């Protein structure tokens, strides 16, 4: 990501300039066949300008030098035009600028072919379960870089890489397919999250055991029952069914908890 401090000399009013770049990887293998293999890069720039309480905004995909300059000028022109019509004579918000650099990991150096080789090793291991009717492996990686600078001295630089490896498999239960899946990963790039296929093998074994038990399971009987809920599920239900209804904006709008 290019340094954006050089554009501060173009700021003529209260200005916020932001550049962002996203790089993503998506690979999917279904029953040993590669059905998706994508790598993409995208980015953009946006600017907000305030003149006497009137705000102008502009944005554009891409962030080359010419585009950044055009977006800055468009945001400034929009703010000046709006101010000429509204003439609010307002004051800008109090300034308390901060500076920070938040780099959550390194950039990925792993090639598509190396990632695919890793996934094929997992797929080969899943072949040892003959009862499976489908095997699916999916890798998704998104790295986001952001830079922000403001006319009053705030500066921000951030890099957030996230990667997930999704394992899924299905088998037949009384002639109908049932499936289980596991999502691994989190904050980081692929090579820092997963060091070797062998460390994933126990996860695959557990996933298959859960699937096997599902194929042998029985359907619940209908009617009212006493249920014992896992803490994670109970917490989600409490949050969604109760937590949101007592939020101030929902209560003001007339939620069931209003009175």
């Amino acid at each position: 990501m290019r340094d954006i401090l050089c554009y501060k000399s173009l700021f003529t009013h209260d200005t916020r300039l932001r550049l962002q770049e996203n790089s993503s990887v998506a690979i999917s293998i279904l029953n040993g066949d590669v059905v998706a293999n994508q790598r993409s890069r995208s980015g953009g720039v946006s600017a907000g300008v305030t003149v006497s309480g009137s705000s102008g905004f502009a944005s554009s995909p891409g962030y080359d030098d010419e585009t950044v300059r055009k977006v800055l000028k468009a945001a400034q022109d929009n703010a000046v035009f709006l101010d000429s019509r509204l003439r609010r004579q307002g004051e800008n918000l109090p300034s308390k600028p901060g500076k920070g650099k938040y780099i959550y990991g390194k950039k990925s150096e792993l090639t598509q072919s190396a990632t695919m080789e890793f996934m094929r090793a997992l797929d080969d291991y899943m072949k040892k379960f003959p009862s499976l009717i489908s095997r699916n492996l999916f890798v998704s990686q998104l790295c986001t870089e952001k830079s922000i600078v403001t006319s009053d001295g705030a500066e921000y630089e951030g890099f957030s890489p996230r990667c997930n490896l999704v394992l899924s498999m299905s088998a037949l239960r009384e002639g109908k397919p049932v499936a289980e899946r596991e999502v691994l990963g989190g904050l980081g790039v692929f090579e820092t999250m997963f060091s070797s296929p062998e460390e994933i093998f126990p996860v695959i074994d557990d996933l298959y055991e859960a699937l096997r038990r599902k194929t042998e399971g029985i359907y619940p009987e209908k009617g009212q029952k006493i249920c014992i809920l896992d803490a994670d599920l109970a917490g989600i239900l409490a949050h969604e069914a109760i937590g949101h209804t007592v939020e101030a904006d929902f209560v003001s709008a007339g939620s069931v908890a209003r009175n």
Side-chain angles (χ1 to χ4, degrees), residues 14-29:
D14 178 24
T15 304
R16 289 84 56 198
L17 176 64
R18 168 176 169 167
L19 272 68
Q20 178 167 330
E21 180 181 352
N22 298 331
S23 58
S24 63
V25 171
I27 303 175
S28 181
I29 295 179

Side-chain angles (χ1 to χ4, degrees), residues 5-250:
L5 293 178
C6 59
Y7 295 106
K8 288 193 69 174
S9 61
L10 302 176
F11 296 176
T12 57
H13 301 87
D14 178 24
T15 304
R16 289 84 56 198
L17 176 64
R18 168 176 169 167
L19 272 68
Q20 178 167 330
E21 180 181 352
N22 298 331
S23 58
S24 63
V25 171
I27 303 175
S28 181
I29 295 179
L30 175 63
N31 295 334
D33 296 325
V34 178
V35 294
N37 183 13
Q38 301 172 342
R39 181 184 291 269
S40 64
R41 207 173 195 88
S42 62
V45 57
S46 67
V49 177
T50 302
V51 177
S52 300
S54 298
S55 295
F57 179 83
S59 64
S60 178
Y63 46 84
D64 58 275
D65 181 71
E66 182 181 1
T67 300
V68 175
R69 292 175 181 271
K70 285 183 177 180
V71 166
L72 269 173
K73 186 178 185 305
Q76 292 168 0
D77 291 346
N78 290 340
V80 170
F81 174 79
L82 191 61
D83 178 61
S84 69
R85 296 298 187 270
L86 299 179
R87 301 191 180 280
R88 290 174 172 169
Q89 300 301 317
E91 297 182 1
N92 293 333
L93 294 173
S95 173
K96 192 177 180 181
K99 296 183 180 181
K101 180 178 288 190
Y102 303 91
I103 309 299
Y104 298 107
K106 66 174 185 177
K107 293 186 178 181
S108 178
E109 298 178 356
L110 199 65
T111 63
Q112 297 282 97
S113 59
T115 306
M116 206 170 299
E117 183 180 342
F118 189 107
M119 297 172 68
R120 287 196 180 281
L122 298 180
D123 182 69
D124 287 341
Y125 184 81
M126 295 169 72
K127 290 178 182 177
K128 75 174 188 176
F129 305 115
S131 61
L132 296 180
I133 60 172
S134 72
R135 313 178 308 275
N136 185 246
L137 297 145
F138 178 69
V139 166
S140 173
Q141 181 170 278
L142 173 64
C143 297
T144 301
E145 294 182 75
K146 298 178 184 178
S147 297
I148 300 173
V149 63
T150 68
S151 55
D152 61 351
E155 298 173 15
Y156 168 87
E157 181 182 349
F159 176 70
S160 299
R162 295 187 178 277
C163 182
N164 288 114
L165 169 62
V166 183
L167 312 169
S168 64
M169 55 180 67
S170 63
L172 292 176
R173 178 187 184 279
E174 298 179 357
K176 297 180 181 179
V178 292
E180 280 287 338
R181 69 196 296 262
E182 183 69 40
V183 180
L184 308 174
L187 188 62
V189 293
F190 188 91
E191 59 264 42
T192 60
M193 301 293 296
F194 311 107
S195 58
S196 69
E198 288 74 19
E199 70 178 15
I200 311 295
F201 292 169
V203 178
I204 295 177
D205 291 336
D206 291 342
L207 186 64
Y208 176 75
E209 177 60 19
L211 177 64
R212 186 192 64 78
R213 293 171 60 187
K214 180 178 284 190
T215 61
E216 298 175 353
I218 62 173
Y219 291 109
E221 298 177 355
K222 64 180 181 179
Q224 293 187 357
K225 305 290 182 180
I226 296 176
C227 295
I228 300 175
L229 301 180
D230 179 89
D232 288 342
L233 177 59
I236 291 174
L237 291 176
H239 169 78
E240 299 296 342
I242 303 171
H244 284 304
T245 61
V246 296
E247 291 173 358
D249 52 347
F250 281 100

